[in-house]
Amino acid sequence: MKRSTIGVFDSGVGGLTVLKALLELIPGADYIYFGDTARLPYGSKSAETVAHYAVGAVHFLQEHDAELLVIACNTATALALDKIKLAAHVDVVGVVEPGAQAAAAASRRGKVAVIGTEATIASHAYRRALEARGVEVLEKACPLLVPLVEEGWVDHPVTEQVARIYLDEVFSGEFADADALVLGCTHYPLLKPVLARLAPPHVVIVDSAESTARVVAASAVAQSGGAGEQTLHFFATDSVEKFRRLGERFLGRAIQDVQHVDLKE
Ligand code: DGL
């Protein structure tokens, strides 16, 4: 039987945390990953711009035979999922609904905090998805965390200090008793140990990358795994060398087959 091909889209290397979760749960599929490294960060851009970039990437992945699209980027999902779905002729899974679903299930008190980029938080996509499940929500933009992770400072005192300031603001006042924290950004899974240490002990950390992989694993495309050796193809719009170097930290394994791609405007 032919193996299925799953397309994964992100603004850069961060979405490799989602690919990592997919590879663990669905080892029987082939993957094609598109990282728009030339135009990142998406987290500070407008919805129009992000939708325009995302639709271009979706066309690219479909032309390369993706049978299911995973929008690994929280910002692209939050700002452009509707437009992406309109442009796609295969099924599309974003990260917000799976993350919200897992958080609603994890929170006993029905009180959830969400952290993400400026754009994700300003869109209130997580708020809508959680409130639709009867959960109270506090959203907090943490724009300094992405550059700190890209710098490789996941275990650095400066990052710990920054994360402490953000989390103190989240878990104070009315939300001191919130009991779930959604990592609403591709980069935050790398900070899970420090965030778990700094968050109050009763807080469950919900990784939207893992929740998304579980949703994808339940799809028909993921279940039609075939024989043969797995292929992983990577495309980046900026330096292939930088993608490889940075990406290995997010994926947790060596990255070989990266090609440069220049999407025409
Ligand atoms: N991939 C983005 C996200 O998950 C973070 C990096 C960016 O701002 O482009 O929101």
Side-chain angles (χ1 to χ4, degrees):
M1 200 161 71
K2 186 187 154 297
R3 300 166 69 95
S4 307
T5 301
I6 298 178
V8 182
F9 164 59
D10 183 50
S11 57
V13 289
L16 293 168
T17 55
V18 178
L19 179 60
K20 185 174 181 214
L22 288 166
L23 285 166
E24 275 163 25
L25 280 191
I26 318 161
D30 290 332
Y31 293 89
I32 155 169
Y33 181 97
F34 181 97
D36 196 5
T37 42
R39 302 189 287 199
L40 104 180
Y42 281 14
S44 52
K45 294 197 167 68
S46 71
E48 289 69 30
T49 302
V50 169
H52 176 64
Y53 292 168
V55 166
V58 160
H59 288 148
F60 179 88
L61 287 167
Q62 289 188 153
E63 280 156 24
H64 286 75
D65 301 328
E67 294 156 78
L68 172 80
L69 295 176
V70 179
I71 311 306
C73 181
N74 285 258
T75 305
T77 302
L79 273 59
L81 192 63
D82 290 347
K83 290 197 173 130
I84 290 171
K85 283 186 169 169
L86 279 177
H89 55 69
V90 296
D91 283 345
V92 178
V93 179
V95 285
V96 171
E97 280 293 320
Q101 172 71 43
S107 173
R108 289 164 161 225
R109 295 182 185 146
K111 264 185 154 179
V112 172
V114 181
I115 53 174
T117 64
E118 297 269 22
T120 296
I121 297 307
S123 76
H124 300 305
Y126 273 104
R127 174 180 294 284
R128 281 193 299 277
L130 283 157
E131 286 183 348
R133 293 171 168 89
V135 171
E136 282 184 75
V137 188
L138 181 133
E139 298 170 294
K140 171 87 189 145
C142 301
L144 294 176
L145 296 183
V146 165
L148 288 168
V149 171
E150 297 221 345
E151 193 60 35
W153 288 13
V154 293
D155 225 356
H156 192 286
V158 167
T159 307
E160 172 147 355
Q161 186 65 19
V162 169
R164 177 175 290 117
I165 294 169
Y166 284 142
L167 291 191
D168 280 353
E169 288 176 21
V170 169
F171 295 104
S172 61
E174 263 185 67
F175 272 75
D177 63 344
D179 58 357
L181 174 68
V182 180
L183 308 186
C185 175
T186 48
H187 288 55
Y188 301 172
L190 277 80
L191 298 175
K192 224 189 278 178
V194 67
L195 295 172
R197 209 163 55 234
L198 294 172
H202 61 269
V203 172
V204 177
I205 306 250
V206 177
D207 180 345
S208 60
E210 284 169 3
S211 322
T212 302
R214 281 197 292 275
V215 168
V216 177
S219 71
V221 167
Q223 281 168 16
S224 65
E229 204 179 321
Q230 182 177 57
T231 60
L232 292 179
H233 289 305
F234 300 90
F235 294 91
T237 53
D238 195 15
S239 156
V240 164
E241 174 44 41
K242 189 171 177 198
F243 183 92
R244 209 180 275 128
R245 186 163 35 81
L246 262 184
E248 290 183 359
R249 289 209 311 266
F250 288 80
L251 191 59
R253 60 157 96 171
I255 293 179
Q256 263 117 26
D257 184 13
V258 193
Q259 272 171 263
H260 180 258
V261 49
D262 192 4
L263 287 193
K264 297 280 170 278
E265 287 296 318

